[in-house]
């Protein structure tokens, strides 16, 4: 069998003759970016083949389709696309920084909020009658009586399975006190001899691109650990449509996506618990939020109906199941509460974000926007809630961009033009001293920032076209008198040794995503009979790192004074923690879901005209001045 070795960590794997290189890398635990899900369309899964490892015998020459996707300088230096290469012999290769995926942990900010603790899980210690005390009764009955008396109830539900582990029965029978972990003060989740009071829970936010797990102290209402990671389902594509397509074509893909996700969640849980010195058995409750596709996959439900009209979820209500049913690392009988969804593309993550808003949110007119591979928009007007979703595409995650990448250390997140006309950039730092600070590529906020800066500097017109090459030294190439790309960072100053550029195609991708979102917002406003919002709230990882000035300059959102655009962090994760800390918020979530009216853009005749109109990258300065 051929063997593949991945540098620099020398990770190796044996593969079948003819196996696709991308699939082999993921089996080896080596994450390679694959925006299109391995369909040979995006050119993002670049690998650098070691010429000394008999690569000529291991790989067939590139096809015309692969050559077309490879920039000329890449092909000349031994680069190939992992999704278009079949392995026929031993091979050694490296993954360039801009093509690395999954193992990089994206930024997932959160807000520290005060929530009055009222967890749905409690622990009660009670004295248990001895086996020879009159009247003599079976152990289960004595336990039930003890906890019913401790709670002042007539009966406590005590499933037979809780005390059916015969190896533990002698321990309970000899104990003068036993602690019960109770769900909703009635159902016993576990029993243990002696006194125990520790209560911990998990709040999990599952996004298409990344996942975050918060380990929380339920008694004191605080976070004791947090872990983030890329969503390992990215092997099947960076967006939900690609993943749905894989499931439709291969029934086994659903189980594999679910298992990859659960395995990654368990890794995060194990790490957070070990660092905090917490036993997994003390994790007694879990709340999960995510977009509808991610929630379906987590529960093993085929999300395929979400990908075709009328785009309805298989289920929309909140779901409760045990940690054991999900194979999640927590107390086996503990409950996992998965948030309700609002619509086919508006899920528990949006609902959790709404949950974080206080009474002031419902006064006047406000927009809550979460921009990602799909854009969710909720408009509140005089207390009424109406929502829609917009297919913005993965451009705002740095995908389908020539030098795009996720928001990890080395990604350019801010671009500006200094008074002398020179293009300047700032990249995300990793906080470690002595590391290479040179940039690797552009993340989503960097893409928006660069377009805004170049529009403001006259290098990009309002129609999205690049200026003529002679207008600025950073412009190069020529198409109909206009440049084809802008060099933001020369190769000599990048970590990859290659120029970091923004291409004309990149700008067009931004325009398409921007116009889809803006058209959806305008339809919501018109539906409510209003023409502007009082405030705009930006939720999610991407929204948290956008500069309000940038999105107003290119018309991504309607014009409002810049101080009225505010980021609210990872509101989905914040809402999940609220529901974890206090049971009342779970009921609120269900009530909110029923309260939201949904507008389906595919049914709107005016969407296409608005979409075309808002491709313009206009600063809208006059409109801003009139607000």
């Amino acid at each position: 069998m051929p063997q593949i070795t991945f540098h620099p960590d020398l990770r190796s794997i044996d593969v079948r003759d003819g196996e696709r290189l991308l699939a082999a890398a993921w089996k080896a635990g080596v994450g390679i970016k694959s925006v299109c899900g391995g369909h040979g369309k995006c050119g993002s899964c670049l690998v650098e083949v070691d010429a000394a490892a008999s690569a000529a015998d291991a790989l067939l020459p590139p096809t015309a389709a692969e050559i077309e996707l490879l920039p000329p300088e890449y092909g000349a230096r031994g680069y190939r696309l992992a999704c278009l290469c079949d392995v026929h012999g031993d091979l050694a290769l490296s993954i360039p920084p801009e093509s690395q995926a999954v193992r990089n942990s994206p930024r997932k900010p959160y807000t520290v909020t005060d929530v009055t603790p009222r967890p749905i899980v409690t622990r009660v210690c009670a004295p248990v009658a001895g086996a020879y005390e009159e009247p003599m009764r079976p152990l289960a009955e004595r336990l039930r009586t003890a906890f019913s008396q401790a709670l002042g109830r007539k009966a406590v539900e005590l499933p037979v399975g809780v005390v059916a582990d015969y190896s533990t029965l002698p321990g309970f029978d000899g104990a003068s006190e036993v602690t019960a972990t109770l769900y909703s003060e009635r159902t016993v989740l576990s029993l243990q001899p002696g006194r125990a009071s520790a209560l911990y829970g998990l709040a999990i936010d599952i996004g298409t691109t990344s996942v975050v797990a918060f380990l929380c102290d339920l008694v004191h209402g605080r976070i004791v650990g947090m872990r983030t990671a890329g969503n390992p389902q990215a092997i099947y594509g960076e967006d939900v449509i690609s993943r749905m397509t894989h499931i439709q074509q291969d029934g086994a893909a659903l189980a594999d996506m679910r298992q990859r996700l659960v395995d990654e969640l368990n890794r995060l849980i194990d790490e957070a618990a070990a660092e905090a010195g917490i036993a997994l058995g003390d994790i007694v409750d879990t709340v999960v939020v995510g977009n509808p596709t991610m929630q379906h996959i987590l529960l093993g439900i085929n999300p395929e109906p979400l990908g075709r009209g009328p785009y309805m979820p298989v289920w929309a209500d909140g779901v409760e199941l045990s940690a054991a049913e999900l194979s999640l690392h927590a107390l086996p009988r503990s409950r996992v509460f998965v948030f309700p969804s609002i619509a086919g593309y508006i899920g528990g993550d949006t609902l959790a974000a709404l949950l974080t808003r206080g009474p002031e949110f419902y006064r006047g007119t406000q927009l809550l926007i979460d921009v990602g591979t799909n854009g969710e928009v909720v408009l509140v007007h005089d207390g009424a809630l109406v929502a829609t979703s917009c297919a913005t595409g993965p451009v705002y995650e740095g995908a389908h961009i020539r030098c795009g990448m996720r928001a990890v250390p080395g990604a350019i997140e801010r671009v500006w033009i200094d008074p002398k006309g020179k293009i300047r950039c700032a990249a995300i730092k990793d906080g470690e001293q002595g590391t290479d600070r040179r940039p690797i590529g552009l993340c989503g906020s960097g893409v928006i920032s660069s377009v805004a800066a170049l529009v403001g500097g006259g290098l990009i017109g309002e129609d999205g076209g690049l200026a003529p090459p002679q207008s600025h030294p950073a412009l190069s190439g020529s198409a109909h008198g206009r440049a084809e790309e802008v060099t933001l960072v020369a190769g000599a100053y990048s970590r990859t040794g290659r120029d970091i550029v923004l291409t004309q195609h990149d700008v067009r991708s931004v325009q398409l995503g921007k116009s889809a979102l803006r058209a959806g917002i305008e339809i919501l406003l018109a539906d409510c009979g209003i023409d502007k919002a009082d405030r705009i709230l930006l939720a999610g990882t991407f929204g948290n790192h956008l500069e309000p000035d940038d999105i107003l300059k290119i018309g991504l959102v309607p014009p409002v004074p810049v101080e009225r655009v505010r980021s609210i962090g990872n509101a989905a994760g914040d809402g999940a923690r609220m529901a974890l800390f206090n049971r009342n918020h779970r009921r609120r979530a269900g009530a909110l879901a029923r309260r939201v009216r949904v507008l389906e853009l595919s049914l709107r005749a005016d969407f296409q005209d608005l979409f075309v109109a808002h491709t313009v990258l206009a600063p809208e300065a006059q409109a801003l001045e009139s607000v």
Side-chain angles (χ1 to χ4, degrees), residues 68-93:
E68 185 177 353
L69 285 171
L70 282 169
E73 69 273 17
Y74 283 65
R77 293 174 58 183
Y79 282 81
R80 300 292 300 269
L81 295 179
C83 73
L84 295 176
C85 294
D86 296 333
V87 181
H88 297 286
D90 292 350
L91 186 66
L93 53 86

Side-chain angles (χ1 to χ4, degrees), residues 404-421:
M405 61 182 295
R406 293 179 178 175
V408 296
I412 294 172
E413 60 176 343
R414 200 72 63 231
V415 177
W416 68 97
I417 299 178
D418 69 18
K420 295 182 178 180

